[in-house]
Amino acid sequence: QVQLVESGGGLVQAGGSLRLSCTGSGRTFGWSTMGWFRQAPGKEREPVGCITWGKVTTYVADSVKGRFTISRDNAKNTVYLQMNSLKPEDTAVYYCAAGSGACGNPSQVDYWGEGTLVTVSS
């Protein structure tokens, strides 16, 4: 009944930018918190950032602070991840998440996107 679809991934050179989007669909779609995780090759999934429904609280991981910005458009049921100054270590599959665990607790995530691959070349 609910689907999260990510887009915007791709191949980019170090120092470049990408903007990921995640759009939710479903008759009763709507969550107080949405966020992003990523999983690099050979690594475990880690939180990237999250934002509440009212956009009062936002969070980004220390590893991306100052480079990544999370935002949302509630009218479009969409959350965004603006990624600037990309580094090769940012290469990962990025997953959209919705639910109370979207800020870093995967066990409390209600819905996951299928993921979009971001590859940063040096």
Side-chain angles (χ1 to χ4, degrees):
Q1 290 184 321
V2 177
Q3 184 180 21
L4 301 178
V5 180
E6 303 105 329
S7 64
L11 176 64
V12 64
Q13 292 184 350
S17 299
L18 286 174
R19 183 178 175 87
L20 306 184
S21 64
C22 171
T23 299
S25 63
R27 193 177 189 279
T28 60
F29 179 83
W31 292 275
S32 62
T33 304
M34 298 184 70
W36 294 89
F37 292 74
R38 68 183 183 184
Q39 187 165 15
K43 303 293 180 63
E44 295 188 348
R45 190 171 298 186
E46 64 177 359
V48 177
C50 64
I51 185 168
T52 58
W53 176 265
K55 296 176 281 187
V56 175
T57 300
T58 60
Y59 164 81
V60 293
D62 288 342
S63 60
V64 302
K65 190 172 296 182
R67 299 187 298 117
F68 290 12
T69 302
I70 191 167
S71 62
R72 67 190 296 168
D73 185 339
N74 292 337
K76 296 181 178 180
N77 293 325
T78 300
V79 62
Y80 304 94
L81 185 67
Q82 179 67 48
M83 305 184 295
N84 299 325
S85 301
L86 283 161
K87 304 175 181 179
E89 51 262 45
D90 295 318
T91 295
V93 176
Y94 285 71
Y95 296 92
C96 180
S100 62
C103 287
N105 188 350
S107 66
Q108 294 184 323
V109 170
D110 293 324
Y111 301 99
W112 292 95
E114 293 184 349
T116 185
L117 177 63
V118 172
T119 302
V120 183
S121 64
S122 60

